[in-house]
Amino acid sequence: MANYSTNEFKGGLKVMLDGDPCNILENEFVKPGKGQAFNRVKLRNLITGRVWERTFKSGESLEGADVMDLDMEYVYTDGDMWHFMKTDGSFEQYAVDKKAIGDVEKWLKEQAVYTVTLWNDNAIAVSPPNFLELEVVETDPGLKGDTAQGGSKPATLSSGAVVRVPLFINQGEVLKVDTRSGEYVSRA
Amino acid sequence: MTNTPRPDDWQPAATIETLRQRARLLATIRAFFTARDVLEVETPVLGHAGSTDPHLDSLSLEATTPDGRERLWLQTSPEFHMKRLLAAGAGPIFQLAHSFRDGEVGRRHNLEFTMLEWYRPGFSLDELIDECGALIRAVLPGDPGPLRQRRYRDLFRDHLDVDPFQSPLAGLRQLAGESGGLPMDDADRNGCLDLLMSFVIEPRLGRDGIEVVVDYPASQAALARRRIDPEDGAEVAARFEIYHRGIELANGYDELTDAAEQAMRFAEDNRQRTALGKPAVDVDRRLVAALQHGMPAGSGVALGVDRLIQLALDKESIAEVMAFPTPRC
């Protein structure tokens, strides 16, 4: 991979730092009146998801990271690994381990399309689509007539996520859910 | 890396209303100097010499001139040309000059920016500092608060409890490393001081007024005279910087007028540049010749106009007061 100098740093650039691939979020040029310049850089570690703030002397460089985001369909899990398939017609599959799946495990639905982040051709992170339609597999019985205001209850969805839903929702219904906030949006 | 076009990036970064306000503030600046009998001058942005300052990167280009193909440099400030006018007897002069510094793009930097530079033959640093304060007051809409001078050495003592001139280098390296979050084990004293100044001290300066930093280390003199501090006998640079609301606005000197000393500093700068792995810059032999002829003693200052306008219009970045900042030019 190419090396990138501080003056090429910008949001979205993927670089290697302390052995981990990182995504640059912000790059601020800092310079005293007359003197040496520095770059204050915010980066997201793509392995841990943590945000780092680092300072570099202007002109220093970092190695680029071979990181790609690809659309893939979730296929199945064998218990240890989660398997995704490219949507480009190649049927090529990637196995994702528990660490890379992380919290997304509770948002997995077969045939839905996820963004899988590959580093050196290994999956390091998965992000779900913003909205998913999922079936309610367990919740208290719905309250008739209570269709408008007030009250909510927990509901377990087919993917394993638990979300707050209005009281009128029944087991077996399919709901539209926002995966970013984990909130109920509507009936599907 | 390519500058990816976006469908709306043909538009100016500043609104037309902001550009109107900017034009009014520029008129205010010109009226300020006209009233004080300071002559507006125009000098070329291109010259046969560049800035040798080790921490400034000049842009250069090749042009066909009557002497054939030549390398010409885009100015990092109009200083050299204006000093030649001073040596020629121009008297007090000012200029609103486009200046260029390679690699400097950020919230407070733009590759091409507007510098207000003015020179006052016969003025002491204190007189020029007062005039800077008056100009800043004329441009800012509200009262910026009182102007006060702070010695560089005292700032480090107050904010960091270290003596920038005498504390052992090892301690400064550790402090700078911790403040910046990067290894500073191989940094020199000025490198450590620069980091501490820009990361710790600067953001706190000028919060309730106009703060003027004076008596810089002699090693950070650039084109200022050096003198002995009467208070503690240390050699300091006769130089000041002005801060308001955490933003560095201006940098002034009691100007170096000694031609031999000037030639020596150019050579020393180029040695430092080579040590830093930067290309040497063609030095301005015409400036040295002008100083040999004789430049009147006096003070001069350069002020970042885009930053002053940013403060006057209460914007977050200088890009918001420019028609087409570097990413859109």
Side-chain angles (χ1 to χ4, degrees):
Chain A
M1 282 304 281
N3 277 313
Y4 294 100
S5 151
T6 50
N7 58 28
E8 296 171 294
F9 286 5
K10 62 174 182 180
L13 184 70
K14 312 285 198 299
V15 292
M16 294 299 299
L17 185 60
D18 295 351
D20 282 353
C22 295
N23 182 19
I24 291 184
L25 303 173
E26 274 176 44
N27 173 27
E28 199 188 344
F29 182 79
V30 183
K31 191 176 196 291
K34 290 263 170 198
Q36 193 174 335
F38 300 93
N39 288 65
R40 195 167 4 201
V41 182
K42 262 192 193 157
L43 318 96
R44 183 183 301 282
N45 181 318
L46 292 172
I47 302 282
T48 64
R50 280 203 196 97
V51 174
W52 282 346
E53 258 202 67
R54 288 292 181 93
T55 303
F56 300 91
K57 290 174 198 156
S58 291
E60 278 188 310
S61 57
L62 290 176
E63 190 192 341
D66 182 11
V67 171
M68 268 188 305
D69 289 332
L70 289 182
D71 282 350
M72 295 193 205
E73 200 174 277
Y74 173 58
V75 193
Y76 71 101
T77 177
D78 58 23
D80 288 331
M81 303 291 271
W82 287 260
H83 298 268
F84 289 78
M85 186 174 72
K86 274 169 127 176
T87 56
D88 59 1
S90 66
F91 300 105
E92 200 181 331
Q93 291 201 10
Y94 284 84
V96 177
D97 65 13
K98 177 133 187 105
K99 193 172 145 210
I101 277 285
D103 289 345
V104 178
E105 187 183 349
K106 65 177 190 219
W107 295 116
L108 290 176
K109 179 188 171 187
E110 283 170 27
Q111 290 171 349
V113 175
Y114 295 76
T115 302
V116 178
T117 305
L118 298 179
W119 171 44
N120 295 336
D121 218 34
N122 289 312
I124 53 168
V126 176
S127 24
N130 291 344
F131 300 100
L132 270 176
E133 291 180 3
L134 295 163
E135 190 188 328
V136 176
V137 293
E138 196 188 328
T139 192
D140 292 340
L143 289 176
K144 262 216 152 55
D146 187 3
T147 52
Q149 75 266 52
S152 69
K153 59 180 180 178
T156 306
L157 306 178
S158 51
S159 64
V162 178
V163 299
R164 305 287 310 176
V165 298
L167 298 176
F168 57 80
I169 296 295
N170 279 302
Q171 203 163 303
E173 285 191 83
V174 177
L175 308 182
K176 186 175 179 183
V177 183
D178 188 326
T179 60
R180 294 161 294 185
S181 58
E183 280 169 8
Y184 163 89
V185 178
S186 64
R187 282 171 162 149
Chain B
M1 205 176 304
T2 50
N3 180 9
T4 332
R6 294 200 320 265
D8 65 340
D9 70 1
W10 64 269
Q11 292 195 329
T15 63
I16 300 299
E17 177 50 29
T18 298
L19 295 178
R20 279 203 185 93
Q21 290 170 320
R22 180 182 173 112
R24 277 199 290 274
L25 294 174
L26 291 177
T28 303
I29 291 172
R30 288 198 159 94
F32 177 89
F33 287 110
T34 305
R36 288 167 181 247
D37 233 353
V38 180
L39 179 69
E40 178 166 11
V41 295
E42 288 178 285
T43 57
V45 297
L46 279 175
H48 281 92
S51 166
T52 56
D53 188 316
H55 298 299
L56 289 183
D57 292 320
S58 300
L59 291 163
S60 67
L61 50 80
E62 288 222 328
T64 304
T65 72
D67 289 326
R69 282 304 268 181
E70 288 192 288
R71 176 184 292 278
L72 295 179
W73 301 82
L74 282 162
Q75 67 185 2
T76 58
S77 88
E79 179 158 9
F80 296 171
H81 284 125
M82 290 181 80
K83 284 183 169 171
R84 284 163 61 190
L85 288 177
L86 294 174
I93 49 175
F94 84 96
Q95 178 164 209
L96 285 159
H98 274 224
S99 303
F100 304 80
R101 294 179 179 185
D102 195 14
E104 302 196 1
V105 179
R107 234 158 21 105
R108 289 173 195 167
H109 295 84
N110 197 60
L111 209 73
E112 176 177 1
F113 60 102
T114 305
M115 185 86 104
L116 166 64
E117 190 144 325
W118 78 98
Y119 290 89
R120 283 296 211 162
F123 263 39
S124 67
L125 265 193
D126 283 339
E127 287 174 293
L128 186 60
I129 287 170
D130 288 343
E131 187 162 69
C132 283
L135 174 89
I136 291 167
R137 273 172 216 290
V139 172
L140 295 183
D143 178 10
L147 179 147
R148 59 183 182 144
Q149 295 194 20
R150 300 291 312 277
R151 297 166 74 233
Y152 186 90
R153 197 169 189 176
D154 292 338
L155 282 174
F156 276 76
R157 286 172 173 158
D158 291 354
H159 289 285
L160 292 158
D161 199 23
V162 291
D163 185 323
F165 299 168
Q166 284 175 352
S167 287
L169 182 55
L172 286 177
R173 281 175 171 161
Q174 197 191 338
L175 190 60
E178 283 164 9
S179 304
L182 78 168
M184 293 293 282
D185 308 333
D186 55 351
D188 61 10
R189 181 171 293 267
N190 277 333
C192 294
L193 296 180
D194 285 345
L195 184 140
L196 293 169
M197 187 71 187
S198 39
F199 281 73
V200 184
I201 300 177
E202 254 190 44
R204 302 180 190 166
L205 291 178
R207 287 291 161 197
D208 49 8
I210 301 171
E211 214 150 6
V212 186
V213 183
V214 296
D215 296 340
Y216 277 77
S219 53
Q220 298 182 15
L223 301 182
R225 278 179 205 270
R226 296 193 177 112
R227 62 182 183 83
I228 301 298
D229 185 337
E231 251 180 75
D232 51 23
E235 193 184 31
V236 292
R239 182 188 142 197
F240 68 86
E241 292 217 10
I242 298 188
Y243 291 86
H244 184 53
R245 286 163 57 188
I247 294 181
E248 185 233 337
L249 281 177
N251 178 39
Y253 302 142
D254 181 343
E255 300 292 347
L256 182 65
T257 54
D258 182 328
E261 168 82 17
Q262 179 70 67
M264 219 168 67
R265 289 199 200 174
F266 278 156
E268 174 52 31
D269 278 355
N270 263 335
R271 261 196 298 279
Q272 270 194 50
R273 293 186 69 84
T274 312
L276 290 168
K278 295 182 172 189
V281 170
D282 296 332
V283 304
D284 196 343
R285 56 175 186 80
R286 291 191 176 98
L287 174 65
V288 176
L291 295 182
Q292 259 157 10
H293 167 81
M295 185 177 94
S299 299
V301 61
L303 181 147
V305 172
D306 308 293
R307 291 185 189 171
L308 183 58
I309 293 175
Q310 175 201 331
L311 285 178
L313 303 182
D314 207 21
K315 303 289 187 194
E316 285 296 308
S317 71
I318 61 168
E320 290 171 67
V321 301
M322 296 179 141
F324 301 112
T326 303
R328 295 190 184 208
C329 70

